[in-house]
């Protein structure tokens, strides 16, 4: 634990890393905090929202969130923003120039890397941003450090006149530990002072700031050599000496308790000379870092002989068993086989792919689109609706990054190959994702007259990350009333012809199907807003559950194409038709305790076998939604 944490009044709390960051932000006297949700960072701003004396708000995307924080810092307020790793790809345009301009009020950015990719589209190492943008990186190893480092990060930001990045990982964000907390500092903001040489980054001014930045690199490196955040833990067996940071530090300590460890907390710029001394006292230096070999490359470039990714994995977490297994190679031993989890048969889990919720409005959209599978290509995006790529719908063909559905849809239209001729092209995107970076894609689609039908799945929530409010649902971070975007009007304002813009209740399957077919045939951009609240939010009103009248079910299995997890198969048979064609038949029942009566399945039922359930016979079951993204 570092000196900053020790000095603070010791009230102990059990906190996740995200909660600890929020507490640190509050104690540091921050006045403005912003974010766009993204796992594993989402809860940081949600916790900050519980402190009334901080202006805390959701931004439509990470770039805007950073820009809001920058503006507040320019006025002298301490400001904070946070994001998941891919968020910085979006925000980086602001970051890469702000690093030249500097700060007035301390500006701290927490970036959370999803090491192990539990809920992300890729695995990135955000420590690169420190190298790229010439900024300090702090890496906590537990909740206590997350709390203490974020407070110190504000001081460093003001001391060195630059934003400071706190690099989190999923483990630090979500694991709980005891944190000694303190009181809120008071920070007043003097107000904005016009200073074009610093705030107007035209080439003439920016060139001068480049020199300031270069000088800062030097002072930051000197600071890193002296910082108490970087320290040596001598150990008792000098055969292997580990250099490590972040959660990997605790893994090293668990796997090799006797070994000397150089613990990096201020990980960029590296304290190379201090590390050189450490390296001289051990036989073999091993770098343990998640995920890319950044420390390793820099130390090798400085002439140190070290072991790193030649024996350790460069993806995923470096858990103690991974470390022990990998290091056997150093001793000339064969690697241990990977440990297979052993479960008694009674606990063995049935493989269960992720699926949409019971009554999710997206079910109706993908049921409908799946009817057109052979006649269309489906450019998709990121959200709960990405599950439309899976069974039984198979109606989403791409998922690259947030907002990409529209640009990719246009590209699919412009670049049609032989098999695409005459096909419809759909761009499928959620409300939050559309507001994040989809709007510009629609603008381009209109400007270039793409033959694409855009489906905006407006469930009035940022569903995938836990149902946060957004600019389209009329509520702010704290649940208070806020202005609300009208998606249909917005589409018209961007230039989509008014007669090509429709709003529909996706639960109304015939209307939805007719509209989708109609707009697919239109040779110009069109927009269908499928509007129904997410079933996990308070806006959703459950209706009377359904049941299947067993004597009426004829095994047609139409309802299974909806993909609702409340529909269960009771019997399967393969029927061979006169033509020789084999047809799968399935008799079903509805788990009425889970059903919320959306009636999507009822509308697909051939024999009219679904009816309101007898409420007196239903036993409630617990619902445990899974969040991610
Ligand atoms: C740049 C970036 N920021 C954040 C995320 C995390 N994330 C994934 S999907 C999503 C939003 C999903 O909401 P919406 O588009 O409304 O669809 P829903 O899940 O409600 O169906 C978010 C915030 C991400 N993957 N990439």
């Amino acid at each position: 634990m570092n000196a900053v944490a020790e000095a603070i009044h010791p009230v102990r709390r059990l906190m996740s890393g995200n909660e600890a960051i929020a507490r640190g932000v509050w104690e540091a006297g921050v006045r403005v905090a912003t974010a766009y949700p993204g796992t594993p960072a989402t809860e940081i701003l949600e916790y900050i929202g519980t402190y009334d004396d901080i202006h805390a708000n959701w931004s439509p995307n990470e770039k805007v969130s950073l820009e809001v924080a920058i503006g507040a810092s320019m006025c002298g307020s301490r400001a904070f923003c946070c994001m998941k790793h891919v968020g910085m790809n979006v925000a980086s345009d602001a970051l890469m120039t702000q690093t030249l301009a500097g700060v007035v009020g301390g500006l701290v950015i927490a970036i959370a890397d999803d090491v192990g990719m539990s809920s992300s589209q890729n695995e990135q190492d955000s420590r690169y941003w420190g190298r790229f943008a010439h900024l300090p990186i702090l890496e906590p190893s537990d909740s206590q450090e997350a709390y203490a480092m974020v407070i110190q990060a504000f001081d460093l930001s003001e001391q060195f006149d630059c934003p400071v990045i706190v690099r989190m990982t999923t483990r630090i964000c979500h694991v709980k530990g005891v944190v000694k907390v303190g009181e809120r500092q008071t920070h007043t903001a003097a107000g904005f002072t016009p200073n074009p040489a610093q705030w107007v980054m035209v080439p003439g001014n920016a060139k001068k700031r480049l020199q300031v930045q270069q000088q800062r690199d030097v002072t930051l490196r000197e600071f890193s050599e002296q910082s108490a955040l970087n320290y040596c833990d001598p150990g008792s067996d000098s055969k292997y000496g580990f250099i490590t940071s972040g959660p990997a530090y605790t893994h090293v300590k668990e796997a090799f308790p006797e070994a000397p460890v150089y613990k990096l907390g201020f990980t960029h710029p590296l304290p190379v000379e201090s590390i050189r001394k450490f390296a001289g006292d051990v036989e073999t230096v091993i770098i343990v870092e998640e995920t890319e070999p950044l420390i390793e490359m820099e130390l090798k470039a400085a002439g140190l002989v070290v072991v790193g990714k030649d024996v350790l994995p460069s993806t995923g977490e470096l858990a103690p068993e991974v470390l022990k297994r990998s290091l056997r190679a150093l001793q000339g031993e064969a690697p241990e086989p990977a440990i297979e989890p052993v479960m008694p048969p009674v606990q063995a889990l049935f493989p269960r792919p992720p699926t949409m919720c019971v009554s999710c409005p997206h079910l109706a959209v993908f049921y409908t689109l799946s009817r057109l599978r052979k006649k269309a290509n489906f450019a998709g995006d990121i959200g709960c609706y990405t599950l439309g790529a899976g069974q039984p719908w198979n109606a989403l063909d791409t998922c690259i990054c947030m907002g990409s559905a529209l640009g990719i849809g246009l590209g699919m239209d412009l670049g049609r190959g032989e098999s695409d001729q005459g096909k419809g092209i759909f761009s499928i995107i959620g409300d939050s994702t559309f507001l994040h970076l989809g709007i510009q894609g629609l603008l381009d689609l209109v400007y270039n007259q793409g033959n694409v039908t855009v489906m905006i799945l407006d469930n009035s929530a940022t569903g995938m990350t836990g149902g946060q409010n957004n600019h389209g649902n009329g509520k702010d971070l704290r649940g208070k009333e806020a202005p609300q975007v009208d998606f249909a009007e917005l589409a018209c304002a961007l230039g989509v012809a008014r007669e090509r813009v429709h709003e529909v209740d996706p639960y109304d399957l015939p209307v939805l199907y007719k509209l989708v077919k109609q707009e697919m045939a239109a040779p110009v951009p069109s927009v269908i807003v499928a509007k129904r609240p997410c079933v996990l939010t308070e806006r959703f009103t459950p209706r009377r559950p359904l049941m299947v009248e067993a004597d009426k079910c004829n095994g047609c299995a139409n309802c299974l194409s909806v993909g609702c997890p409340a529909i269960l198969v009771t019997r399967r048979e393969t029927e061979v038709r006169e033509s020789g064609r084999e047809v799968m038949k399935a008799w079903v029942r509805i788990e009425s305790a889970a059903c919320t009566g959306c009636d999507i399945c009822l509308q697909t039922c051939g024999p009219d076998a679904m009816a309101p359930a007898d409420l007196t016979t239903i036993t409630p079951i617990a619902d445990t939604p899974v969040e991610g993204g």
Side-chain angles (χ1 to χ4, degrees):
M1 194 187 311
N2 70 43
V4 177
E6 285 290 3
I8 288 171
H9 183 59
V11 173
R12 288 166 177 269
R13 303 261 169 89
L14 187 63
M15 289 180 162
S16 67
N18 282 346
E19 206 174 346
I21 290 276
R23 176 73 192 201
V25 164
W26 178 75
E27 286 188 23
V30 166
R31 299 186 64 221
V32 176
T34 57
Y36 178 71
T39 309
T42 308
E43 303 84 12
I44 299 177
L45 194 75
E46 291 177 330
Y47 283 123
I48 291 177
T50 64
Y51 297 106
D52 288 342
D53 35 12
I54 300 181
H55 295 284
N57 64 254
W58 291 125
S59 299
N61 65 38
E62 294 84 354
K63 179 171 180 284
V64 175
S65 136
L66 177 54
E67 287 157 351
V68 173
I70 288 171
S73 161
M74 285 173 168
C75 292
S77 289
R78 285 194 159 184
F80 172 82
C81 76
C82 57
M83 57 199 67
K84 70 182 289 171
H85 60 300
V86 281
M88 186 44 85
N89 303 343
V90 177
S92 60
D93 200 19
L95 181 80
M96 293 305 289
T97 302
Q98 187 57 32
T99 183
L100 287 181
V103 305
V104 181
L107 174 59
V108 175
I109 307 163
I111 313 179
D113 288 357
D114 190 8
V115 175
M117 285 176 69
S118 58
S119 49
S120 302
Q121 63 268 41
N122 69 16
E123 190 180 61
Q124 287 179 199
D125 193 327
S126 294
R127 296 174 306 157
Y128 272 115
W129 292 113
R131 276 83 183 163
F132 201 9
H134 300 255
L135 292 176
I137 300 265
L138 305 188
E139 281 187 72
S141 295
D142 56 26
S143 296
Q144 175 68 58
E145 285 194 350
Y147 155 81
M149 280 186 187
V150 84
I151 296 175
Q152 193 171 359
F154 284 98
D155 296 337
L156 294 176
S157 170
E158 286 161 6
Q159 181 182 345
F160 292 105
D161 186 14
C162 64
V164 173
I165 295 173
V166 178
R167 190 243 192 169
M168 305 281 284
T169 68
T170 304
R171 185 161 295 271
I172 304 299
C173 289
H174 290 163
V175 168
K176 290 196 173 189
V178 174
V179 180
K180 285 187 194 172
V181 299
E183 302 298 331
R184 179 161 163 88
Q185 307 168 21
T186 310
H187 273 269
T188 45
F192 182 70
T193 308
N195 178 10
Q198 184 174 13
W199 302 135
V200 184
M201 285 295 94
V202 292
N205 293 336
K207 275 181 197 159
K208 294 185 193 119
R209 296 297 300 182
L210 264 181
Q211 289 160 16
V212 175
Q213 181 184 272
Q214 279 171 2
Q215 184 50 44
R216 187 177 78 206
D217 285 346
V218 175
T219 46
L220 281 173
R221 195 170 290 284
E222 286 164 5
F223 177 84
S224 178
E225 295 285 355
Q226 308 302 328
S227 171
L229 294 172
N230 299 329
Y231 60 85
C232 176
D233 189 345
S236 56
D237 176 358
S238 60
K239 186 166 184 237
Y240 295 129
F242 293 90
I243 298 170
T244 185
S245 65
Y249 167 73
T250 51
H251 298 156
V252 168
K253 291 295 283 179
E254 185 178 330
F256 304 98
E258 313 298 324
V261 179
Y262 193 103
K263 156 96 165 70
L264 287 159
F266 189 100
T267 68
H268 182 260
L270 277 181
V272 176
E273 295 317 315
S274 168
I275 291 175
R276 203 187 294 280
K277 278 198 212 105
F278 169 82
D281 294 338
V282 297
E283 282 175 45
T284 306
V285 180
I286 302 166
I287 316 288
V288 182
E289 54 185 326
E290 293 174 349
T291 47
E292 300 276 350
L294 294 185
I295 301 174
E296 180 184 340
M297 284 189 305
E298 286 177 24
L299 293 182
K300 282 181 173 166
L304 274 78
V305 178
V306 299
V307 173
K309 298 300 180 188
D310 28 1
V311 294
L312 291 165
S314 50
T315 60
E317 292 193 293
L318 299 177
E321 65 274 14
V322 176
L323 292 177
K324 284 192 199 157
R325 209 171 42 242
S326 307
L327 292 192
R328 284 171 69 95
L330 267 186
Q331 297 155 339
E333 296 171 32
E336 267 176 26
I339 305 156
E340 296 293 338
V342 184
M343 286 193 200
V346 69
Q347 283 182 13
L349 295 174
F350 184 74
R352 186 174 169 271
T355 190
M356 293 184 207
C357 299
V358 171
S359 292
C360 173
H362 300 343
L363 289 171
V365 172
F366 285 103
Y367 171 82
T368 303
L369 294 178
S370 68
R371 313 285 97 184
L372 303 167
R373 175 62 283 191
K374 295 206 173 95
K375 296 181 182 149
N377 293 332
F378 304 106
D381 221 298
I382 307 189
C384 293
Y385 52 93
T386 312
L387 291 165
Q391 296 287 4
W393 317 281
N394 298 314
L396 190 130
D397 296 321
T398 70
C399 168
I400 301 295
C401 63
M402 286 197 71
S404 60
L406 294 108
I408 290 178
L410 176 61
M412 282 180 155
D413 180 36
L414 300 177
R416 281 173 195 269
E418 280 173 28
S419 69
D420 309 315
Q421 300 305 325
K423 275 193 178 177
I425 294 176
F426 287 87
S427 291
I428 304 153
I429 188 164
D431 50 341
S432 182
T433 309
F434 181 72
L435 295 169
H436 179 273
L437 271 179
I439 297 172
Q440 293 81 353
L442 182 54
L443 189 64
D444 199 36
L445 200 56
V446 171
Y447 185 64
N448 292 298
Q449 284 300 289
N451 181 358
V452 176
T453 304
V454 178
M455 307 278 311
I456 301 177
L457 312 195
D458 177 10
N459 59 6
S460 295
T462 309
M464 189 162 191
T465 45
Q468 289 76 19
N469 292 324
N470 64 42
H471 304 60
N473 81 352
K475 292 274 160 85
D476 70 8
L477 171 76
R478 294 185 169 107
K480 296 204 189 93
E481 297 293 316
Q484 179 176 14
V485 167
D486 181 323
F487 288 96
E489 284 302 321
L490 177 57
C492 293
L494 290 171
V496 184
R498 194 162 283 275
E499 66 274 18
R500 298 266 74 89
V501 178
H502 310 273
E503 207 176 87
V504 60
D505 177 356
Y507 280 0
D508 196 343
L509 283 187
V511 174
L512 178 64
Y513 185 69
K514 199 168 148 238
L515 262 182
V516 162
K517 289 267 289 178
Q518 170 191 308
E519 292 312 317
M520 190 172 96
V524 291
S526 48
V527 171
I528 299 173
V529 183
K531 196 169 172 57
R532 259 276 163 193
C534 168
V535 297
L536 297 180
T537 62
E538 59 192 21
R539 286 162 199 263
F540 175 72
T541 320
R543 300 196 294 211
R544 186 167 177 161
L546 296 177
M547 56 170 278
V548 174
E549 294 176 330
D551 54 329
K552 287 195 187 165
C553 177
N554 67 1
C556 74
N558 284 350
C559 58
L560 290 181
S561 311
V562 173
C564 177
I567 304 176
L568 308 177
V569 175
T570 54
R571 178 160 64 97
R572 260 179 222 282
E573 271 176 26
T574 308
E575 189 179 276
V576 184
R577 296 268 161 89
E578 271 178 27
S579 61
R581 194 162 73 92
E582 289 189 349
V583 178
M584 192 271 286
K585 302 211 65 171
W587 284 260
V588 300
R589 73 175 181 84
I590 290 176
E591 179 54 70
S592 301
C595 176
T596 55
C598 67
D599 290 358
I600 305 174
C601 60
L602 180 145
Q603 297 173 72
T604 71
C605 180
D608 209 6
M610 292 177 182
D614 176 358
L615 297 180
T616 58
T617 61
I618 298 175
T619 321
I621 51 170
D623 194 9
T624 41
V626 178
E627 293 162 12

